[in-house]
Amino acid sequence: MIQLLATVAVFCMVVYFQGFKIELPMRSKRARGSVMNFPIKLFYTSNMPIILQSALTSNIYFISQMLFKRYGTNPLVQILGRWQSDDYYSEQLVPVGGLVYYITPPHSLTEAAANPIHTMFYVAFMLSACALFSITWIEVSGQSASGVARNLREQQYFLQGHRDTVGSLKKELNRYIPTAAAFGGMCVGALTIVADFMGAIGSGTGILLAVTNIYQYW
């Protein structure tokens, strides 16, 4: 029952944060007097940071397991990760040491409190990784300030109350987009951490992906 309530609470938190945004008033040169609000959401890159972070973590797990099975006594391999069989599923390996252990989420608040170093490392890893991936994604996908400014200029939109130049528009967008990307990525990571610590059904990453996708369709 507690897990179900935790899942519902995380669902509600994600939906609530989806509504955070800043709207910039844009005017069209084609239609005189036409005003369009350009929204910059808190979750500017949506769920991409957690997708990329999850892919990175999965690859690290795979490489570490493969090396440990073959060269388990090697000190460098053990620094990357040490694995042992799960108590309930003898064929499943779980991390018990090394880097992979510290990037694995604690399964409850009790476990998090019992291992503060593990918890702090995991929190720092999640927040920094999601922020960095979010900033990187806006550059790769063309959602950076320069890319957005160029697209708006091609559609003949300019920022109300500012000069009708790409430089002016880019400068104004640079005040919001990088901050929204970095802080939004950290918020996505923080929500994933909260879901993991609260013991929500499934993983925090899975819940966040499900909620953001459902919200976009809605």
Side-chain angles (χ1 to χ4, degrees):
M1 189 63 182
I2 293 176
Q3 288 181 321
L4 180 60
L5 291 175
T7 305
V8 173
V10 172
F11 190 101
C12 293
M13 282 190 288
V14 175
V15 172
Y16 177 73
F17 281 111
Q18 288 277 3
F20 280 60
K21 61 183 177 181
I22 294 174
E23 294 184 338
L24 300 180
M26 310 294 298
R27 283 193 175 275
S28 174
K29 295 176 68 176
R30 294 176 180 175
R32 296 294 180 181
S34 175
V35 179
M36 176 194 74
N37 289 325
F38 179 76
I40 301 177
K41 296 182 179 181
L42 175 62
F43 289 170
Y44 185 70
T45 53
S46 187
N47 53 19
M48 283 308 301
I50 201 64
I51 291 175
L52 297 173
Q53 184 275 333
S54 180
L56 172 65
T57 305
S58 298
N59 286 326
I60 294 175
Y61 285 173
F62 174 75
I63 294 171
S64 177
Q65 276 194 31
M66 183 176 62
L67 292 174
F68 187 78
K69 287 179 179 179
R70 181 164 295 188
Y71 310 106
T73 57
N74 189 298
L76 294 177
V77 173
Q78 291 189 3
I79 290 175
L80 180 60
R82 299 196 308 275
W83 300 77
Q84 72 177 22
S85 298
D86 188 87
D87 294 335
Y88 298 100
Y89 305 99
S90 58
E91 296 182 357
Q92 183 178 357
L93 295 176
V94 294
V96 294
L99 175 64
V100 292
Y101 169 73
Y102 287 100
I103 63 175
T104 302
H107 297 98
S108 64
L109 288 173
T110 303
E111 185 178 336
N115 300 280
I117 296 177
H118 175 198
T119 303
M120 289 188 291
F121 190 95
Y122 171 70
V123 170
F125 168 73
M126 283 293 296
L127 296 182
S128 58
C130 288
L132 288 173
F133 279 131
S134 186
I135 292 174
T136 303
W137 180 252
I138 64 172
E139 298 295 337
V140 173
S141 63
Q143 293 178 290
S144 63
S146 58
V148 173
R150 184 169 57 252
N151 290 335
L152 289 173
R153 283 289 297 171
E154 289 175 355
Q155 298 174 33
Q156 297 188 13
Y157 279 101
F158 65 95
L159 192 61
Q160 185 174 341
H162 292 73
R163 289 183 300 172
D164 183 16
T165 62
V166 176
S168 176
L169 181 57
K170 179 181 175 182
K171 181 179 179 181
E172 191 67 19
L173 290 173
N174 260 324
R175 294 177 55 193
Y176 301 102
I177 289 180
T179 303
F183 187 65
M186 292 179 67
C187 288
V188 168
L191 287 169
T192 304
I193 293 170
V194 169
D196 288 327
F197 286 4
M198 291 174 64
I201 298 173
S203 65
T205 301
I207 293 173
L208 198 66
L209 291 175
V211 176
T212 51
N213 286 331
I214 291 172
Y215 186 87
Q216 287 174 0
Y217 279 116
W218 177 76

